[in-house]
Amino acid sequence: IIVKLTEIHMVRTYPVRTSASIGVAFYPKDGTDARTLLKNADIAMYEAKKSGKNQIHYFTESLHQTILAEVELENDLRTALKNQEFELYYQPKVDVDSGRIIGAESLVRWHHPTKGMISPLQFIPIAEQTGLMIELGEWILQQALQQQKQWQNAYQTNLLISINISAVQFGCAQFFSHFQALCNQFNLDLQFIDIEVTESVLMQNTESNLNVLKKIRGLGVTTSLDDFGTGYSSLAYLKNFPINTLKIDKAFADDYDSKSG
């Protein structure tokens, strides 16, 4: 079926190629009425899309339970934003020669009232898929900048604070103006602010994101590229972007020692 659908078809003089993500549910194993069968086939179809599209996926009970867990987590996430269940932790950056702390990276954590600490690996993808990442990202940005101001006032410190910005948040049209307004509000020394984005940001809306990066650098803010090595992985490509710091992904260098020997 998929092979036939992906064949090139001519619409007037234009070649058109289609693809299909197909979900399958069987009677009576996956449902005994049309409504249940269609619902479960739809669940399987969305799994096919999540797995890269142009695939066939079959409904399973474990898939159903996974979807239910994701829906529950999404609902809890909305409540968490309303009840301010999130907290920022700060991971120190240490100069290996002197042992002196020279900066910190802000990391968001979720303290669920009944499930305990939930890993960002669980809730960040859900937040990005559901549009909640914009609100969460704005909260993280404000909290981190406010913390930097408190440190500067209390300790007269020049620690560089790094703030992770998701691709969803970075691509928002209001991101730069919101960031600039917060910097002005807290009257920060911007040379000690580091905006950290992942490699995927550079691969999406390249021209638009490049312009935003240039405007951020124009403020005197430094920029870092995280997870390098998981996508395009071209050093030559990086020359087009105003990046101060490159953070190589762990997976990119995991087997370096074994190969270098």
Side-chain angles (χ1 to χ4, degrees):
I1 295 174
I2 288 181
V3 172
K4 285 292 184 182
L5 286 171
T6 55
E7 290 180 357
I8 296 177
H9 302 276
M10 299 301 296
V11 178
R12 296 183 180 175
T13 59
Y14 299 97
V16 176
R17 185 188 296 274
T18 60
S19 64
S21 298
I22 299 174
V24 179
F26 291 102
Y27 172 91
K29 179 174 70 71
D30 301 325
T32 57
D33 59 86
R35 182 176 181 179
T36 302
L37 284 169
L38 286 172
K39 181 191 71 173
N40 290 341
D42 196 46
I43 290 173
M45 181 267 291
Y46 277 103
E47 186 65 17
K49 288 185 175 182
K50 284 173 57 179
S51 301
K53 302 182 180 181
N54 200 35
Q55 300 182 38
I56 298 175
H57 268 252
Y58 297 92
F59 177 81
T60 62
E61 185 56 34
S62 62
L63 176 58
H64 187 217
Q65 293 303 319
T66 299
I67 297 298
L68 289 178
E70 288 180 356
V71 171
E72 181 182 0
L73 193 62
E74 178 187 342
N75 292 334
D76 287 351
L77 194 55
R78 295 181 187 277
T79 302
L81 284 167
K82 181 180 179 181
N83 296 341
Q84 298 185 349
E85 296 172 7
F86 296 98
E87 184 177 353
L88 284 190
Y89 283 59
Y90 296 90
Q91 178 174 286
K93 296 182 177 181
V94 179
D95 184 295
V96 293
D97 291 326
S98 65
R100 186 171 59 91
I101 294 176
I102 57 174
E105 180 178 353
S106 60
L107 303 169
V108 65
R109 295 293 183 263
W110 178 9
H111 295 275
H112 193 284
T114 60
K115 299 175 182 176
M117 188 79 80
I118 297 179
S119 168
L121 296 176
Q122 289 181 266
F123 69 82
I124 292 296
I126 300 294
E128 291 179 335
Q129 293 166 18
T130 57
L132 296 173
M133 196 63 230
I134 300 297
E135 183 178 351
L136 177 58
E138 288 179 352
W139 179 86
I140 292 170
L141 187 62
Q142 179 169 345
Q143 292 294 312
L145 293 177
Q146 186 173 3
Q147 180 65 74
Q148 175 70 316
K149 183 61 176 179
Q150 290 172 355
W151 283 341
Q152 287 183 357
N153 289 342
Y155 306 111
Q156 301 299 308
T157 180
N158 291 330
L159 291 177
L160 180 72
I161 187 166
S162 297
I163 308 169
N164 294 283
I165 307 296
S166 76
V168 174
Q169 184 184 7
F170 196 85
C172 179
Q174 291 77 37
F175 169 71
F176 177 75
S177 59
H178 178 66
F179 170 66
Q180 188 175 30
L182 286 173
C183 290
N184 292 336
Q185 176 185 338
F186 295 120
N187 190 28
L188 292 165
D189 188 340
L190 298 185
Q191 66 177 312
F192 299 111
I193 301 296
D194 177 52
I195 292 297
E196 190 168 306
V197 297
T198 61
E199 189 180 25
S200 61
V201 168
L202 304 189
M203 302 299 107
Q204 302 171 15
N205 302 315
T206 305
E207 185 176 350
S208 174
N209 289 343
L210 175 59
N211 289 334
V212 174
L213 279 172
K214 286 180 177 178
K215 288 195 289 186
I216 290 173
R217 291 287 292 115
L219 295 176
V221 175
T222 66
T223 56
S224 295
L225 181 65
D226 197 9
D227 292 343
F228 181 76
T230 59
Y232 193 84
S233 307
S234 170
L235 290 170
Y237 190 76
L238 292 178
K239 292 191 297 184
N240 300 320
F241 295 92
I243 299 295
N244 297 99
T245 304
L246 184 64
K247 298 174 68 175
I248 297 175
D249 188 78
K250 180 178 180 294
F252 194 70
D254 268 346
D255 59 351
Y256 174 77
D257 286 341
S258 62
K259 288 185 176 180
S260 61

